[in-house]
Amino acid sequence: MQKPRIEAFLLYLAPNMKTRIYPTLLSLLICYGSFAQQADHKKKKKSDIPKYTIENWFNGKKSATCLTFDDWSSGHGPIVVNNLIERKCPATFFVTQNNNGLGGGYVQMQKAAQHGLEIGNHTLSHPDLTKLTSDDLKKEVSGTQASLSKETNSEVSTLAYPYGPYNDQVIEEVKKHHIAARGVIDINHFPYEFATSEQDYFKLNTVGVNEDFTSEKFGTIIRKANIEGGMLTLIFHSVYNDKVDDHSYAAITEQRLNQLLDTLDSYKKETWVTTMANAVKYHREAHCAKLKTITNNAMEWTLNLTDTLSNNKIYNQPLTINLKVPNGKKYIAISQRGEPLPFSFNDKKNLISFNVVPDGGIIRITKAREKGMKKK
Ligand SMILES: [Zn+2]
């Protein structure tokens, strides 16, 4: 009914313009169509992004604490590795490869790596890296990274600068095969935003430990890191007991080591005790990861967590996600790439929390069957 009337009206207005007006109307219609489609697309895009937060540190801990042991001196294999394994306490050993004849050598390093302790690079011969030719720099940094990874059958991805100094040339070489590096400068502030560029992860600072470093002092520093929310890295050197002589540098007794580990145990609910590599991975991933909904229906919600870090073999540290869910819904399982994951549900805040790897595959959240829903 409508169409002939419009046609008649148009013909009445301009009988010989029919051929011109029709294309104009058509293009207006096309224009409106694509606009509507665009608006629809925008709306869809917006609902693709769920409400969520990524915790600053793993499992919502307030800070990260990394114990690092430098040089691989004679007490590291027999005393430190065994104590840490017994306590299930993660830590990083920065190994000077020429010391592989000490403290059980590669056998103890392999054992450490198998138990989740990190083997890091502290070069081949412990030189001041800023004083080397480029060939020697390559050998000490990249050469040792490759060789230590092979000998310890582990992923060597962090480095500690011998004596501490570095410059741009040194960082360029370290960056080729490492994700972070630590110096020896003592700090007493631990802000969460300790790295604002990739370069900053190669300038990490620390807190030095010697026999005067008491449990009280350690406790004060951990509490400070918890308040400021950053990464606390400690350097240990020699550790000795009645049987093992190790006095190369800043030596502490096995008893002192255990006192400090007891102190750390008492703060484990608040600080994430981890390796230097894992703390750096978490920090970098958390700064660029994004969660998106793929599908969401009555039975299942699928999502994808991606980050902008290209090396997914290295950047595989799970991130802790808090996902906002609709009121009253019940959830029975979460998995990533088919692997079931533990999760917690806060029904007061309507949040489910779980740990997933960025670029680690589809996340599936299975919903509980609701009353009145048809059984298959
Ligand atoms: Zn050293």
Side-chain angles (χ1 to χ4, degrees):
M1 287 293 282
Q2 201 79 332
K3 206 181 161 194
R5 279 180 68 184
I6 290 174
E7 208 168 332
F9 177 68
L10 287 172
L11 281 168
Y12 166 77
L13 265 181
N16 50 3
M17 273 177 73
K18 190 180 165 185
T19 48
R20 278 206 241 164
I21 284 174
Y22 268 27
T24 311
L25 276 176
L26 192 69
S27 65
L28 272 173
L29 268 172
I30 289 169
C31 205
Y32 171 76
S34 74
F35 171 77
Q37 209 175 14
Q38 224 172 31
D40 194 49
H41 190 65
K42 259 189 186 165
K43 214 169 134 192
K44 203 178 160 205
K45 262 263 142 68
K46 206 178 163 194
S47 68
D48 280 353
I49 299 161
K51 280 188 179 162
Y52 71 99
T53 56
I54 299 174
E55 291 284 2
N56 278 359
W57 294 111
F58 194 59
N59 284 337
K61 301 286 169 78
K62 293 173 183 166
S63 65
T65 299
C66 312
L67 309 178
T68 68
F69 294 83
D70 278 25
D71 303 339
W72 193 263
S73 53
S74 51
H76 287 185
I79 304 172
V80 186
V81 169
N82 292 342
N83 272 299
L84 292 173
I85 289 174
E86 204 171 300
R87 288 169 168 271
K88 295 191 170 72
C89 179
T92 300
F93 289 91
F94 284 114
V95 173
T96 300
Q97 202 176 4
N98 279 351
N99 286 349
N100 72 70
L102 302 174
Y106 293 133
V107 174
Q108 277 302 92
M109 292 181 216
Q110 285 163 8
K111 184 178 162 187
Q114 279 164 11
H115 285 83
L117 299 169
E118 180 190 8
I119 304 298
N121 186 358
H122 200 37
T123 75
L124 179 64
S125 67
H126 207 279
D128 176 343
L129 294 175
T130 61
K131 303 231 160 78
L132 300 182
T133 63
S134 61
D135 278 355
D136 282 343
L137 181 62
K138 208 171 179 175
K139 187 175 121 189
E140 290 283 348
V141 172
S142 300
T144 308
Q145 187 275 338
S147 171
L148 258 186
S149 299
K150 202 175 149 211
E151 295 289 359
T152 62
N153 197 21
S154 72
E155 173 195 279
V156 174
S157 65
T158 60
L159 177 140
Y161 304 107
Y163 312 110
Y166 54 83
N167 56 27
D168 287 349
Q169 194 198 354
V170 170
I171 291 179
E172 275 316 300
E173 188 60 41
V174 175
K175 259 171 133 175
K176 288 179 188 169
H177 302 286
H178 303 81
I179 60 165
R182 197 216 68 212
V184 297
I185 294 169
D186 254 284
I187 46 166
N188 56 13
H189 276 291
F190 313 96
Y192 184 64
E193 299 302 341
F194 59 88
T196 51
S197 68
E198 192 196 356
Q199 203 82 347
D200 289 345
Y201 291 100
F202 295 87
K203 299 174 179 178
L204 299 180
N205 294 316
T206 187
V207 172
V209 174
N210 56 30
E211 191 59 29
D212 299 331
F213 194 84
T214 59
S215 286
E216 290 71 34
K217 196 173 172 184
F218 192 20
T220 306
I221 289 171
I222 298 170
R223 287 194 298 277
K224 193 159 190 192
N226 287 342
I227 292 167
E228 296 181 348
M231 177 175 168
L232 164 61
T233 307
L234 298 113
I235 316 183
F236 293 75
H237 283 88
S238 300
V239 183
Y240 66 97
N241 62 18
D242 293 346
K243 290 176 198 133
V244 182
D245 181 31
D246 180 2
H247 286 84
S248 344
Y249 186 75
I252 64 167
T253 59
E254 181 179 18
Q255 194 189 4
R256 171 67 75 201
L257 175 70
N258 277 306
Q259 281 167 3
L260 296 174
L261 294 175
D262 284 342
T263 305
L264 188 56
D265 271 342
S266 68
Y267 286 96
K268 270 187 176 166
K269 276 189 181 161
E270 290 153 61
T271 187
W272 178 35
V273 183
T274 188
T275 61
M276 201 172 100
N278 286 349
V280 166
K281 287 176 194 180
Y282 193 104
H283 196 263
R284 284 204 72 184
E285 290 170 11
H287 278 77
C288 64
K290 285 192 170 66
L291 189 67
K292 273 187 185 167
T293 291
I294 305 167
T295 61
N296 196 355
N297 59 42
M299 303 292 288
E300 189 185 66
W301 189 354
T302 63
L303 304 111
N304 199 14
L305 182 72
T306 56
D307 69 22
T308 56
L309 299 158
S310 55
N311 192 339
N312 290 327
K313 199 175 155 251
I314 290 272
Y315 289 101
N316 55 9
Q317 166 63 44
L319 298 179
T320 304
I321 307 286
N322 303 314
L323 179 66
K324 189 93 178 165
V325 294
N327 198 8
K329 279 269 180 194
K330 286 205 164 60
Y331 300 85
I332 51 176
I334 299 184
S335 67
Q336 186 177 31
R337 196 173 275 167
E339 284 287 315
L341 299 174
F343 68 98
S344 63
F345 178 47
N346 181 332
D347 57 359
K348 286 195 186 90
K349 290 183 179 171
N350 286 320
L351 284 179
I352 38 178
S353 305
F354 48 88
N355 299 319
V356 280
V357 180
D359 303 308
I362 304 297
I363 302 156
R364 283 178 200 284
I365 303 177
T366 311
K367 300 176 185 178
R369 196 182 293 275
E370 280 175 32
K371 274 178 195 168
M373 218 185 234
K374 274 183 192 170
K375 277 185 185 176
K376 267 185 189 171

